[in-house]
Structure formats: C-alpha cells, structure tokens
C-alpha cells in the first residue's frame, strides 16, 4: 500500500515519458495530477488530460477521491492522457471522417456529441459499431483496397470544443467547417463511382452472418476507452434503432441523407430482402437521386430555398413513421369502428392438403377476421375466426403477376398458425393489409393512422408499376444508367445489363417528377415497408431448445426465428412485457409477460448486454413525445439498458 509514501509510476502519453511521484494514500486524484504537471514543467494546456488506470480499465475522473478510496496500490500503472482522441468514423454513406471524441464519456453521450457536430437530430437512434470481419477474406490485402475505395478524410472535427452544430444550409452549401474541399459531404448523396466497390464490400450470406454483424455494437453505458477502442480506430456510425422520430426535411437534410444512404447500402449489399419489382423501384429512385444530386450541386445556390418550401408542402402530410404518428382532427363518429367485409380467398398451408385457396366471405371487425362460407351466412357462426393481436404480417406481392397476398402468422399456445389471404385488387389489398398491420399491434381501423397506412401501401405499390406504354421512354437507352451500381449483385447475375437498364428507366417514369428530398424520403419509406425492415438478428439458444436459433428484436416485439429460413416461430410484444432481466453469470436473458409464460434465452457469440440494450433502448425510444423539448433523459436510458431493472 501507499501508507508511508511510496513511488507511483505514471506514463505521460503525449511526451512518451515515465514519471515516478512519491505519494501517500491520502492524496486525492486532483493533487496527483497537479504534482505531476509541476514535475513535468512543460508549458502546455493540460486541462483535457486525466488519469487512466490500465489494469482496472477505468478512468479516475472523481478528482476529489483519494488514491486509497480508488484502491490504488504502489504497483498500479497509470496513464496521464488526453480524454479527447481521434476516431475515424465511417458514416452511413460509407465515407470516413476524422473526429475528435471524448474517450472518457459514456458512448451514449459521445454519440450525442458526434451527432451535434454533424447536425443530426435524435442521436439516441444512432450508435457505434465495430467493423464486421469477413472470415472468408484474405486478411490484410483486401481490407486496404476497400478502405481506399471509400476513403474521404474530411477535415478534423471536434465535438464539444467548437461543438456548434452546422446549420442545414451551411451543410448543404458549404460554408461550414465540414465542407472545405468537400462541399456538403453529409447532406448530398454521392453516386457509387464504380461497381468494384459493391463487389469488395462485405455481404452477409445468411441470417447467421446478419446476426454476426450485430455482435459489434458498443456498450452505450461504458466509455470507448473501457471497451478497448484505440486512438485512430475505425468505428461505424449507424442508425441502430429503426424507429425514426419526427423525420422532417426542413431540419433534417443531413439525417435524411444519411438514413437514405444506410437504406441504400442495406439493399445493395442484400442485408435486407426485397422482390425484383421492389429492387427496380429502389434502383429507379437511386438513379433519380443521383441525377438530381449532381444537378443540385451545380446550381444549388439559387433554388434550394424554393425546394425546401415545395418539399414542405409535399411532405407536411407524409409522416414517415410506420406507426403513423399524426392524429388527424377528423375523428369522425367515435362510437363506430370501421369494418371491412369482402370475398377473400383463404389458404392454410400447414394442412397436408393439395387444395389451394378457398373463397370465404370475410369480415374484419376490431382486430378479428371472421370467415363465412357465403355472404348470406354472415349472421350465423363463422367457419373460421382469427384474432390478429400479436400476429406477424408479411406481404407477398407481385404486381406484374397481379398477386396480392397477405401472410399471417397468428400466435397460438405453442407457436404460430399460418394463414394466407389473397386479395383481388391493389385497393382491396391496401385496406386489408393496413387493417392487419394495425390489428397485430392491438389497434383497430378507428385508429387515426389507418388511412395513412392505406395511402402508404398504395403509394408503395404505385411506385413499382411498370408502364405498359413503351413509347413513353422517349430518351434512347442512355448510357448514364450504371445498373451495376444500382441493383444488388444477385440481379446482375440474373439479367443482362441492357435488360436491367430498360427496367430501371421504365420504373423511373413513376418517380421522375419527385424533388430530391422527396425521392429520398420515399426511398426511406419504401425501405420501411419491406417485411424484414427493422429486425435486428441475434444468435440465441432458447430455454429447453436443442439448437441455436435466432432472436429478432424490433421496435415493438421480440421474434423467435428459424436460423436457416428466418421464419417467425413465435412473437412476443413489448406492450405485454412486465419486466426483463439478465443473469450475467450464465448470460441468460429472461423476459416476463402479463399473460403468457416467461421467455428465457442464452445469447450465443454476443454479449447479452447488447441484446438487453436493444430491448431497453426501444422501450426508451417509445417514451418520446412530440411536445418534449429536445433534451434526452440520459439517466433513464441507462436505467432501462444497463440491466439494473
């Protein structure tokens, strides 16, 4: 111990010097630093420096605590080092920026500061992720080429020190610290310059690969330094929670662009599944955005304000939350809940019959669908009845084939019952699909978001239409469409470039009138409409299960999934959750529900803290309200995500 005054060894990282100080256990941390700086006698601003205890991986930030209180013995080695260090952040648009970040702040706070610097609102939706390692790669060689392809070192940014956020206009037009030499790098999308980039980037091949990527999320309640992040390391800044609050083109130029970029890469790298028609629609939107981005960076000074106003008008009603945020004032007659009734074809694939769809007269009331043999019998007892609360709803649509199916997985005691509904028209499909989505959350069609959801579905389908009128494409097949930069590799193998180009131009007719920011918002919205959107996968072993399975976490539920197919086996809603806790010893997460047996699983290959934080994080996000001022209840976040619940 340090009783009679012993030598304490410290290493000053800036000067690469070791210094020994004679101290006693009663001296407090502030005093140690004072003595150290006196002994160094170097003219320098040491105010950002603090002591780091290597062995215990902890910052000694409580300067009034004594060495004894911290339990520091004579053999401890302390580093005297700056709290702010450089990080290389890869943004959602795959570009790298060097940023000075506080390595002693909890990651949640550090991300908040980074987002302030980049002027991204709602930093609670983002976090930092370690780069996934591609096990199949020849290590060093390829990694370097990949870096070069995307390297875009911005100027140095220091959150906190100058900390003033960029105004969206300065980020667009380049009179901000971010833009010297690379104007508006954050708010403007840059087209993918060469198809090689797509080839070289890591693509998850299976659900297990997708789950592996999520091992890399940092712990939000500990500092970077405690998690072995070193100065100049590369970390990915990503939208972690897929619940985008109050996305507003007026204030969110950068946030919208980075979200668009994250969605674009997720689709191109096949991190999320989409159908061929959807892929062509995404490609057409991307082509449109690329064209407008190049134009707007040429002449953005004159019309940008105009664009923001137009956008305002166009998007004031486009609430981009699948929850359908806004409450319209026309509540209508509150006593009556709207109902649907129509002939629908119903199919139960689980039964061992070869019979296909059978037509029923179906009524949708509250959150229940009743099927009758005919319209006349609708007063009697239904042949089938399904309560959709907590079900999984998946679209199965092929527009050119006029196929509009809704797949329902309905919870029963030991798993899920599968039922498919087949609609005849887009309109019928949109109304039933919207009703099913709401019912799965326990909401009826009286909910204000119902009509919005119907409109969203219709506009999503409309963007995928192919124009039957070929003379419409007057422009000769021009060469500025680079299909290998617009669709995922799977389609390049399947079709010739010429065919893809023709289909992209055809799909472009549906979006050609959109303004730049509207096209980005539409892209984000279309991404949100994909069945797999917003599901984060983890490898887990369920209590009583024999093999590894997947657990999927979304903004409102947990899903037990088959690891090879990704099919939902059972779903649990957060709204039904009483409490959840973690046994850190055996890495087991247990969730208790109001009216069903509790659920326990062990996390495989990932720290259960990551999984726990996803659940708590989504619950934290669900407490945000429109009338809140911008400040976040940081302590509440730690409470919900740290496992002391």
């Amino acid at each position: 111990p340090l009783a009679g005054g012993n030598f304490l060894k410290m290493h000053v990282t800036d000067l690469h010097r070791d210094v020994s100080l004679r101290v006693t256990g009663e001296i407090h941390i502030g005093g140690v630093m004072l003595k150290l700086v006196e002994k160094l006698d170097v003219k320098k601003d040491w105010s950002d420096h603090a002591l780091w205890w290597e062995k215990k991986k902890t910052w000694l930030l409580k300067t009034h605590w004594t060495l004894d209180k911290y339990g520091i013995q004579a053999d401890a080695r302390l580093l005297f080092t700056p709290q702010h260090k450089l990080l290389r952040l890869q943004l959602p648009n795959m570009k790298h920026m060097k940023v000075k970040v506080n390595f002693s702040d909890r990651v949640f706070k550090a991300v908040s500061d980074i987002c302030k610097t980049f002027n991204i609102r709602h930093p609670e939706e983002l976090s930092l992720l370690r780069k996934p390692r591609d096990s199949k790669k020849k290590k060093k060689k390829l990694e370097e080429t990949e870096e070069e392809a995307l390297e875009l070192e911005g100027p140095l940014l220091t959150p906190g020190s100058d900390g003033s956020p960029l105004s969206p206009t300065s980020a667009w037009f380049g009179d901000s610290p971010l833009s010297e030499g690379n104007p508006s790098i954050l708010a403007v999308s840059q087209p993918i310059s060469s198809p090689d980039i797509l080839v070289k980037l890591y693509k998850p091949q299976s659900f297990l690969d997708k789950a592996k990527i999520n091992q890399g999320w940092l712990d939000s309640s500990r500092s970077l330094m405690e998690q072995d992040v070193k100065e100049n390391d590369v970390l990915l800044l990503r939208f972690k929670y897929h619940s985008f609050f109050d996305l507003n083109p007026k204030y969110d130029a950068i946030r919208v662009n980075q979200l668009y970029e994250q969605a674009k890469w997720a689709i191109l790298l096949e991190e999320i599944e989409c159908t061929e028609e959807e892929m062509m629609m995404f490609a057409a939107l991307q082509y449109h955005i690329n064209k407008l981005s190049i134009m707007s960076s040429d002449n953005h000074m004159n019309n940008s304000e105009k664009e923001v106003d137009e956008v305002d008008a166009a998007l004031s009603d486009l609430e981009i939350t699948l929850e359908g945020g806004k409450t319209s004032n026309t509540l209508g007659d509150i006593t009556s809940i709207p109902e649907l009734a129509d002939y629908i074809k119903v199919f139960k694939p689980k039964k061992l019959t070869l019979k296909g769809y059978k037509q029923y007269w179906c009524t949708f009331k509250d959150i229940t669908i009743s099927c009758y043999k005919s319209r006349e019998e609708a007063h009697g007892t239904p042949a089938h009845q399904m309560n959709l609360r907590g079900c999984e709803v998946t679209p199965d649509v092929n527009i050119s084939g006029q196929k509009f199916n809704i797949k329902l997985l309905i919870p029963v005691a030991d798993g899920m019952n599968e039922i498919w509904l087949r609609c005849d028209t887009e309109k019928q499909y949109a109304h039933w699909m919207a009703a099913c989505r709401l019912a799965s959350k326990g909401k009826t069609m009286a909910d204000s978001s119902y009509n919005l959801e119907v409109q969203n579905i219709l506009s999503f389908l409309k963007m995928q239409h192919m124009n039957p009128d070929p003379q419409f494409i007057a422009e000769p097949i021009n060469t500025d469409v680079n299909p290998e930069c617009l669709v995922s590799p799977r389609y390049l193998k399947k079709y010739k470039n010429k065919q893809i180009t023709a289909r992209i131009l055809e799909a472009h007719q549906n979006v050609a009138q959109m303004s730049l920011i509207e096209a980005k918002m539409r892209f984000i919205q279309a991404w949100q409409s994909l069945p797999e959107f917003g599901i984060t996968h983890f490898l887990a072993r369920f209590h009583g299960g024999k093999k590894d399975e997947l657990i999927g976490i979304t903004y409102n539920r947990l899903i037990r999934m088959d690891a090879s197919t990704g099919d939902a086996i059972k779903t649990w809603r957060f709204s039904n959750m009483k409490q959840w806790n973690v046994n850190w010893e055996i890495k087991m997460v247990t969730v208790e529900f109001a009216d069903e047996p509790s659920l326990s699983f062990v996390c495989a290959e990932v720290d259960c803290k990551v999984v726990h934080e996803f659940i708590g994080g989504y619950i934290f996000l669900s407490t945000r309200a429109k009338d809140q001022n911008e400040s976040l209840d940081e302590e509440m976040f730690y409470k919900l995500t740290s496992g002391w619940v």
Side-chain angles (χ1 to χ4, degrees), residues 365-589:
K365 295 182 181 175
D366 285 336
I367 54 174
T368 302
I369 297 178
S370 308
C371 309
Y372 303 92
K373 294 220 164 67
S374 70
R375 185 175 189 164
E376 291 66 45
E377 295 176 30
H379 300 299
T381 315
H384 304 288
Q385 212 168 23
M386 333 172 227
N387 180 319
L388 300 196
R389 185 190 292 278
C391 74
E392 285 292 317
V393 186
T394 317
D396 176 20
V397 173
N398 177 328
I399 291 172
S400 50
Q402 286 295 295
K403 176 174 97 171
F404 303 105
N405 291 348
I406 301 170
K407 291 185 180 177
L408 299 172
L409 286 168
I410 299 165
V412 287
D414 52 350
M416 309 284 259
N417 251 341
E418 191 168 355
I419 308 261
W420 297 8
L421 308 179
R422 167 162 276 182
C423 299
D424 292 327
T425 64
E426 287 188 21
K427 207 168 163 193
Q428 186 188 46
Y429 167 80
H431 282 93
W432 284 76
M433 183 63 171
C436 289
R437 278 191 180 154
L438 262 77
S440 74
K441 298 178 204 153
K443 295 177 178 175
T444 70
M445 288 171 268
D447 193 86
S448 61
S449 62
Y450 174 66
N451 289 331
L452 201 73
E453 184 70 30
V454 173
Q455 289 317 309
N456 277 348
I457 294 169
L458 285 169
S459 72
F460 182 55
L461 296 176
K462 196 172 137 210
M463 285 197 290
Q464 296 171 58
H465 276 272
M466 288 302 163
N467 284 302
D469 190 356
Q471 55 148 49
F472 225 32
I473 306 177
E475 41 186 318
I477 298 286
N478 45 4
T479 49
D480 70 337
V481 181
N482 296 329
E484 56 275 286
C485 299
L486 298 173
V487 300
S488 73
R490 179 187 311 174
Y491 295 105
L492 295 170
K493 292 192 193 88
K494 199 169 166 186
Y495 297 106
K496 296 198 172 68
N497 279 6
K498 254 202 184 119
Q499 294 171 298
I500 299 176
T501 300
R503 287 189 62 181
I504 291 174
L505 285 173
E506 213 177 320
H508 183 240
Q509 298 295 324
N510 298 321
V511 301
Q513 300 312 309
M514 291 180 186
S515 73
L516 179 55
I517 192 128
E518 189 187 353
K520 286 181 191 174
M521 295 284 271
R522 285 289 177 180
F523 194 102
I524 294 167
Q525 196 184 18
W527 173 48
Q528 287 181 301
S529 303
L530 297 176
E532 282 183 11
F533 167 79
I535 302 176
T536 306
H537 302 92
F538 294 99
L539 205 54
R541 183 163 292 194
F542 287 84
H543 193 57
K546 297 280 178 285
K547 55 180 195 300
D548 281 347
E549 293 172 79
L550 288 175
I551 186 143
I553 302 179
T554 77
Y555 75 97
N556 63 0
R557 64 198 193 282
L558 296 170
I559 315 162
R560 181 178 186 168
M561 303 166 107
D562 182 299
S564 48
T565 62
D567 291 344
I569 298 168
K570 190 150 178 60
T571 297
W572 297 268
R573 300 263 145 187
F574 289 162
S575 54
N576 196 18
M577 202 156 89
K578 278 204 313 216
Q579 61 166 340
W580 73 104
N581 36 46
V582 178
N583 178 334
W584 300 106
E585 300 296 303
I586 55 172
K587 289 197 184 316
M588 183 179 272
V589 179

